[in-house]
């Protein structure tokens, strides 16, 4: 495989995604690889930009993948489907992305046992959904990708949407579940309820005065992880607006990248 082939954006389902309403780009979930040219196998992280399940913020995509590359980690930016698509479509896209990277790990010199997922805001909800709701794959599937596990080996959640309870972000919830969400589905996608001892380790950060997605979202998740004995790191910065990404204009918050780099090293991803 040439360098150009290894970095070319490709659809997650070559013959069309399940539930697609058409063939336009917004109907076609896809991955953009950011592989490494050094000898592997490398750890890899799938990046889910935020945007309230209505769009995908560019500053939470390619720049994050390039930062991961600077740490010696391969990356893949996921263009998952957003509204008018609703659950379980985005979650299915994330699961398919993890399966794809694992099933095709040799093509990008990736270690299939070191595949993580990272997300911002609603993309954080998607990433934690993937980390708490997964399966081991279908060994009888004709498609070799579907035989691979959808469980990530680690997750990174940045100012994530977690709960659809008291501290919810209404826009994300309604874009994902509809204007009048079914109470049972709403409870099922309230992710502090989905943590088990099988949930992979996680790194989370938030700002204490986030006015869009309250910091309680991160606190609720790590509380559940603590009760289940799942390792985590949590960093809460005193000040900063929602949606900072790499936070280049906020030096205090920008420390999250160094903190996360150390955490990745600690879990064997570097």
């Amino acid at each position: 495989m040439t360098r150009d082939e290894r970095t070319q954006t490709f659809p997650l389902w070559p013959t069309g995604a399940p539930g697609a309403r058409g063939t336009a780009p917004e109907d076609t979930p896809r991955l953009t690889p950011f592989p490494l040219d050094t000898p592997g196998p490398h750890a890899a992280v799938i990046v889910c930009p935020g945007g309230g399940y209505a769009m995908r913020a560019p500053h939470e995509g390619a720049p994050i993948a390039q930062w991961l590359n600077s740490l010696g980690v391969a990356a893949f930016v996921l263009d998952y489907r957003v509204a008018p698509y609703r659950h379980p479509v985005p979650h299915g896209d994330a699961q398919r992305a993890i399966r794809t990277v694992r099933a095709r790990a040799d093509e990008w010199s990736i270690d299939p046992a070191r595949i993580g997922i990272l997300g911002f805001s609603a993309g954080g909800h998607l990433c934690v959904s993937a980390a708490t709701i997964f399966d081991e794959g279908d060994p009888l599937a004709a498609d070799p990708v579907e035989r691979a596990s959808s469980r990530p080996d680690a997750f990174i959640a940045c100012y994530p949407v977690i709960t659809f309870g008291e501290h919810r972000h209404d826009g994300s919830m309604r874009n994902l579940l509809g204007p009048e969400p079914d109470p049972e589905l709403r409870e099922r996608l309230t992710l502090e309820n989905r943590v088990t001892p099988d949930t992979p380790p996680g790194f989370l950060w938030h700002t204490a005065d986030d006015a869009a997605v309250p910091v309680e979202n991160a606190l609720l998740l790590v509380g559940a992880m603590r009760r289940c004995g799942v390792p985590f790191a949590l960093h809460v910065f005193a000040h900063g607006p929602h949606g900072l990404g790499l936070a280049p204009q906020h030096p205090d918050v920008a420390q999250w990248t160094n903190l996360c780099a150390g955490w990745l090293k600690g879990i064997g991803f570097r």
Side-chain angles (χ1 to χ4, degrees):
M1 184 183 288
T2 67
R3 171 69 183 175
D4 285 347
E5 289 171 328
R6 292 173 71 233
T7 59
Q8 186 173 11
T9 300
F10 64 91
L12 286 174
W13 283 274
T15 59
R21 302 182 179 196
T23 57
E26 284 304 308
D27 300 302
T28 309
R30 52 207 181 273
L31 274 180
T32 302
F34 288 75
L36 299 170
D37 290 327
T38 53
H42 307 286
V45 173
I46 295 162
V47 179
C48 305
Y53 282 116
M55 48 84 74
R56 297 173 303 275
H59 74 288
E60 295 170 348
I64 308 304
Q66 291 159 355
W67 162 68
L68 287 163
N69 281 177
S70 77
L71 304 179
V73 177
F76 295 78
V77 176
L78 172 61
D79 288 322
Y80 57 94
R81 285 172 285 180
V82 297
Y85 288 99
R86 293 178 181 156
H87 181 76
V89 170
H91 182 251
D93 293 348
Q95 288 189 313
R96 177 73 178 189
I98 295 167
R99 295 191 211 277
T100 298
V101 174
R102 184 162 279 134
R104 298 174 58 183
D106 286 349
E107 297 177 33
W108 295 289
S109 299
I110 287 166
D111 180 354
R114 292 188 295 155
I115 296 172
I117 189 165
L118 178 158
F120 294 85
S121 192
H125 185 272
L126 182 59
C127 120
V128 178
S129 296
T132 55
I133 307 168
F134 50 79
D135 62 67
E136 292 306 313
D138 179 359
L140 302 179
D143 181 353
V145 171
E146 292 300 315
R147 298 175 207 153
S149 169
S150 67
R151 180 187 184 272
D153 300 295
F155 73 87
I156 300 166
C158 311
Y159 41 89
V161 173
I162 297 296
T163 189
F164 290 151
E166 178 184 356
H167 300 288
R168 66 187 175 274
H169 179 253
D170 267 327
S172 294
M173 182 181 72
R174 296 183 189 284
N175 284 330
L176 182 65
L177 304 183
E180 297 182 4
D182 174 77
E184 183 179 339
L185 183 59
R186 177 172 161 174
E187 183 75 7
R188 200 181 318 150
L189 272 296
T190 293
L191 299 178
E192 68 267 26
N193 298 334
R194 302 309 302 261
V195 176
T196 73
D198 292 329
T199 299
F203 176 98
L204 298 93
W205 73 269
H206 221 112
T207 57
D209 58 358
D210 188 324
V213 177
V215 69
E216 282 84 358
N217 281 259
L219 300 177
L220 285 165
L221 186 69
V222 298
M225 294 174 74
R226 175 75 177 110
R227 289 189 293 275
C228 288
V230 178
F232 67 87
L234 169 66
H235 298 277
V236 178
F237 301 96
H239 301 294
H242 189 71
L244 287 175
L246 292 171
Q249 306 304 317
H250 294 75
D252 183 45
V253 180
Q255 296 177 81
W256 82 264
T257 55
N258 289 332
L259 294 166
C260 188
W263 180 80
L264 285 166
K265 185 174 183 178
I267 64 168
F269 266 55
R270 296 179 61 201

